[in-house]
Amino acid sequence: MVEELSAQENSVVLMLLFATIFLTLVTLGLILFFYFSRKKVIQKEREKAELKIANQQKILETSIAIQELERKRIAQDLHDAISSKLNIVSLSTNVLLSDKKTTNKQKKTLEQILEITSTTLESSRKIAHDLLPPILDKFGLKAALEELFEDYCKNTQIDIQYDLEELEISKEKQLHLFRILQELVNNSIRHGKADELVVFLEENDNGYKLRYQDNGLGFDVEAVKKKAGIGMQNIMSRARILNGKFHYDSQIGKGSTFVIRSNYEKTH
């Protein structure tokens, strides 16, 4: 009788042991199932986010490319349509001024027309130059930036100290760097109210580094990270096109610093 009870107890213990093992395995299986399911969901969400970022980047790159094409078209129109016609007006006015039959009153009016025409012609040339600087295509980035900085120093109260090295990069990438610096200088003058800038562009073993610093009003870095303006978005987009790492720092009342580091393959 005792042996029968002992056998039953052993049987119950074994059943409980197997049941415990079974429940443990089921629980472990459910945990692993939910873990890998969750991991798969997270992976899918990450892929969707990366795809969204890639699409946004592609849209921004397309937008920038369209901007450059539009700038080129407007610059060409200014040169071909407006500047050429203004030159004709200027030449015709000079012919009338040299005519002996022209009265003094008429000459005064013609001189005013000539002055307005010359001023408008110079403005249209400057706008066309800003839209598409010919020196960039002919002589490269270093020469174009030197001209840009000299123009700013001549026509504004700003002082720009710079040290630039020639980079062996494509014309397209040179244009992106030129636009980035153009945007930074405009922001420093208009929004930062800066009167001193320091710009370094130098090669290193693997690529190049651009460092830009102003003594302007500065800005709230966290606010810009949450919502960047169009100018800053364009700068960041161009930096990504250059495969560059873009970093900026600023303090209210203590100016701003912008750094772009990029690797590139030299062209020969």
Side-chain angles (χ1 to χ4, degrees), residues 2-266:
V2 173
E3 289 179 358
E4 288 180 4
L5 287 172
S6 179
Q8 288 178 355
E9 286 175 359
N10 289 337
S11 178
V12 170
V13 169
L14 283 172
M15 288 175 64
L16 288 171
L17 180 60
F18 285 128
T20 302
I21 292 171
F22 175 75
L23 289 172
T24 302
L25 290 173
V26 169
T27 303
L28 184 60
L30 288 170
I31 290 170
L32 289 172
F33 172 77
F34 286 117
Y35 171 77
F36 285 111
S37 296
R38 179 62 180 164
K39 191 176 180 181
K40 190 176 286 187
V41 169
I42 292 170
Q43 181 64 28
K44 289 290 183 185
E45 291 297 322
R46 186 182 291 116
E47 288 173 1
K48 282 171 63 179
E50 288 172 354
L51 185 61
K52 186 178 180 181
I53 291 168
N55 287 336
Q56 288 175 341
Q57 178 64 15
K58 195 172 182 67
I59 290 167
L60 286 168
E61 288 178 13
T62 304
S63 175
I64 287 170
I66 291 169
Q67 284 178 30
E68 293 301 339
L69 284 172
E70 190 64 12
R71 282 176 173 175
K72 187 176 182 179
R73 185 190 66 78
I74 293 169
Q76 197 67 46
D77 286 348
L78 281 169
H79 180 269
D80 295 343
I82 297 175
S83 295
S84 59
K85 287 179 174 59
L86 286 171
N87 277 319
I88 293 169
V89 172
S90 181
L91 288 169
S92 301
T93 304
N94 278 312
V95 169
L96 290 170
L97 278 169
S98 61
D99 191 342
K100 293 179 180 178
K101 295 178 182 179
T102 305
T103 65
N104 288 333
K105 187 176 181 180
Q106 288 172 333
K107 282 184 179 180
K108 190 174 181 180
T109 302
L110 288 168
E111 284 170 355
Q112 289 177 341
I113 292 170
L114 187 61
E115 184 181 351
I116 292 167
T117 304
S118 299
T119 303
T120 307
L121 185 59
E122 183 60 32
S123 296
S124 68
R125 282 174 179 164
K126 189 176 185 310
I127 292 167
H129 183 276
D130 290 342
L131 286 168
L132 192 68
I135 192 171
L136 181 65
D137 187 53
K138 290 180 181 178
F139 301 105
L141 179 64
K142 184 174 182 289
L145 289 174
E146 287 172 346
E147 184 186 63
L148 178 72
F149 296 154
E150 286 169 13
D151 281 346
Y152 276 116
C153 291
K154 191 186 299 180
N155 298 307
T156 68
Q157 299 299 312
I158 202 158
D159 177 54
I160 305 177
Q161 302 295 320
Y162 55 87
D163 186 6
L164 309 171
E165 293 184 7
E166 199 70 72
L167 305 180
E168 297 183 55
I169 55 177
S170 67
K171 293 291 183 184
E172 181 186 355
K173 290 185 176 181
Q174 287 183 38
L175 180 59
H176 286 306
L177 270 174
F178 181 86
R179 294 298 186 207
I180 286 171
L181 280 163
Q182 199 175 36
E183 185 70 40
L184 287 172
V185 177
N186 284 334
N187 286 345
S188 292
I189 295 172
R190 293 176 187 172
H191 306 300
K193 310 300 180 186
D195 58 14
E196 289 182 7
L197 302 178
V198 179
V199 183
F200 291 101
L201 182 59
E202 58 186 3
E203 279 192 310
N204 52 44
D205 293 338
N206 301 312
Y208 60 87
K209 174 184 174 183
L210 168 65
R211 180 181 174 84
Y212 176 98
Q213 190 170 354
D214 71 31
N215 69 338
L217 299 175
F219 57 87
D220 186 337
V221 172
E222 293 304 317
V224 171
K225 284 180 179 178
K226 289 178 182 176
K227 188 176 182 182
I230 293 173
M232 184 65 82
Q233 287 180 28
N234 274 337
I235 291 170
M236 290 189 288
S237 296
R238 290 182 188 275
R240 281 193 288 266
I241 292 170
L242 292 167
N243 296 319
K245 293 179 180 179
F246 179 54
H247 172 75
Y248 56 90
D249 188 33
S250 182
Q251 292 183 40
I252 303 298
K254 294 186 178 181
S256 307
T257 302
F258 301 85
V259 177
I260 293 176
R261 291 184 177 85
S262 181
N263 296 335
Y264 63 84
E265 294 181 4
K266 292 186 177 182

